Amino acid sequence: VVVALADAWWVAIMPRLDRPRPVGTLGFTVDLTTAPEQLPTESDGRLQPLFHRGRTLAAREGYTLEQRELWTQDGRLVSWNTQTVAVIK
């Protein structure tokens, strides 16, 4: 679930584009920094909401490199990943 959530959000460069465009992932790595069994859950067992932060580190000629993070509500880093994306014109 954590890996799926790490990749669930739009790429960070989307707000800078003049319109929505298709994108393709060229490279994706993820590091889990909190053991999944230690993630906070609701009383019914569901995972508590996680906070997402995505940043474009570099962009050039239709390619972007992103850093993405997921955090718990109490400030623990859950995952850190990088993603290389091609923005299709």
Side-chain angles (χ1 to χ4, degrees):
V1 169
V2 172
V3 173
L5 289 172
D7 192 36
W9 296 98
W10 292 100
V11 293
I13 200 166
M14 281 292 189
R16 307 251 345 181
L17 301 176
D18 60 351
R19 66 180 190 273
R21 297 186 185 267
V23 298
T25 300
L26 302 175
F28 179 88
T29 62
V30 64
D31 294 304
L32 301 179
T33 56
T34 299
E37 63 273 4
Q38 294 178 354
L39 293 174
T41 57
E42 303 289 352
S43 59
D44 62 2
R46 291 180 298 133
L47 183 64
Q48 285 184 358
L50 299 173
F51 296 97
H52 172 267
R53 178 169 62 174
R55 295 178 282 199
T56 300
L57 301 176
R60 186 176 177 149
E61 297 179 9
Y63 297 94
T64 68
L65 175 63
E66 288 198 4
Q67 177 182 335
R68 296 170 158 211
E69 303 159 359
L70 290 174
W71 296 83
T72 62
Q73 293 179 28
D74 63 357
R76 286 183 289 151
L77 182 63
V78 173
S79 71
W80 179 88
N81 77 286
T82 58
Q83 189 166 353
T84 304
V85 175
V87 179
I88 302 163
K89 293 186 177 190

